[in-house]
Amino acid sequence: EAGVTQSPTHLIKTRGQQVTLRCSPISGHTSVYWYQQALGLGLQFLLWYDEGEERNRGNFPPRFSGRQFPNYSSELNVNALELEDSALYLCASSLGRIAKNIQYFGAGTRLSVL
Amino acid sequence: DAKTTQPTSMDCAEGRAANLPCNHSTISGNEYVYWYRQIHSQGPQYIIHGLKNNETNEMASLIITEDRKSSTLILPHATLRDTAVYYCIVRVREGGATNKLIFGTGTLLAVQP
């Protein structure tokens, strides 16, 4: 069974540009989570989608947004990139909205903003 | 903020048991203890979780004290591939409003040959 897949694996952008990151959850999982891991800041919760709706977001500015598609895959969009957006972006999925469900992570997308 | 406290780093000899402690003195009755690990530059990997009873799976054992204020993750026979940052997370399992995982700084376990 395939795990959580993310694309692309690496990305280089310049300040001010926009970027879209993609995530495919484990088959059967309806919840998708996005986390940011910036150097020195640890893993920070970004967004949670379930059944196509945003359920919760972390303490990030509105230029971080996303969506979840009917097939439960998800996109994370970051507008007006800033240097401090350079980070590993991780996607996780779980079976559903219930908090007990274990989150399984993908390998991440490493974004470098120059 | 993370509700757990872990040592910054630990060493372990290859083949020996690795015992990673975690303090969660403010844990609530409906909160579970979860352990994840992150090998350098990869996504976190789920290891194990528990409420109050000791748990064991193919990867590790989890020992939770009777007062639930601390726990220990045990890797019975550490290998070089177990070198990673280990995160201890407390999380509401039922009725949680956010579902987010709050990661602390974790423990860097270095397995030495």
Side-chain angles (χ1 to χ4, degrees), chain B residues 2-25:
Chain B
K3 298 178 64 174
T4 63
T5 304
Q6 299 177 251
T8 302
S9 63
M10 294 181 63
D11 288 344
C12 177
E14 189 176 18
R16 303 297 294 268
N19 296 278
L20 293 95
C22 178
N23 180 286
H24 33 79
S25 58

Side-chain angles (χ1 to χ4, degrees), chain B:
Chain B
D1 291 339
K3 298 178 64 174
T4 63
T5 304
Q6 299 177 251
T8 302
S9 63
M10 294 181 63
D11 288 344
C12 177
E14 189 176 18
R16 303 297 294 268
N19 296 278
L20 293 95
C22 178
N23 180 286
H24 33 79
S25 58
T26 61
I27 193 170
S28 301
N30 63 346
E31 289 182 317
Y32 284 64
V33 179
Y34 285 74
W35 284 83
Y36 282 77
R37 73 180 182 184
Q38 187 175 25
I39 296 169
H40 182 62
S41 294
Q42 297 181 21
Q45 177 188 24
Y46 165 78
I47 302 173
I48 198 168
H49 72 279
L51 180 63
K52 56 183 178 181
N53 298 318
N54 298 338
E55 302 287 346
T56 296
N57 63 19
E58 65 278 4
M59 288 184 68
S61 294
L62 175 60
I63 309 297
I64 302 174
T65 58
E66 193 168 341
D67 63 7
R68 303 211 319 122
K69 292 185 177 182
S70 66
S71 60
T72 301
L73 178 74
I74 301 172
L75 307 179
H77 305 286
T79 70
L80 298 179
R81 287 180 294 181
D82 292 321
T83 293
V85 177
Y86 287 76
Y87 297 99
C88 170
I89 300 165
V90 296
R91 180 179 173 216
V92 173
R93 181 158 170 157
E94 296 291 349
T98 69
N99 275 17
K100 64 183 178 183
L101 295 175
I102 301 176
F103 288 83
T105 54
T107 296
L108 174 59
L109 175 68
V111 180
Q112 310 290 343

Side-chain angles (χ1 to χ4, degrees), chain A:
Chain A
E1 180 182 311
V4 177
T5 57
Q6 294 186 243
S7 62
T9 54
H10 294 83
L11 205 50
I12 300 175
K13 292 286 188 179
T14 56
R15 195 169 47 183
Q17 285 188 312
Q18 178 265 342
V19 69
T20 298
L21 311 181
R22 295 177 175 81
C23 173
S24 292
I26 292 171
S27 177
H29 286 192
T30 62
S31 272
V32 170
Y33 312 80
W34 288 94
Y35 293 82
Q36 181 198 64
Q37 188 171 30
L39 195 62
L41 291 180
L43 275 146
Q44 304 287 325
F45 168 75
L46 256 170
L47 288 160
W48 167 34
Y49 292 95
D50 182 76
E51 297 284 355
E53 298 203 9
E54 182 181 303
R55 301 292 178 180
N56 196 35
R57 69 179 289 129
N59 188 25
F60 283 84
R63 58 191 185 83
F64 287 83
S65 65
R67 55 180 172 167
Q68 187 178 33
F69 298 98
N71 66 354
Y72 305 114
S73 67
S74 176
E75 285 183 350
L76 174 69
N77 298 292
V78 187
N79 294 320
L81 283 166
E82 300 179 3
L83 297 179
E84 54 265 33
D85 296 334
S86 295
L88 179 66
Y89 288 85
L90 292 157
C91 173
S93 74
S94 70
L95 268 173
R97 201 178 312 167
I98 299 172
K100 68 179 180 180
N101 294 320
I102 297 164
Q103 294 182 26
Y104 296 93
F105 285 79
T109 293
R110 184 162 297 281
L111 172 65
S112 298
V113 182
L114 307 178

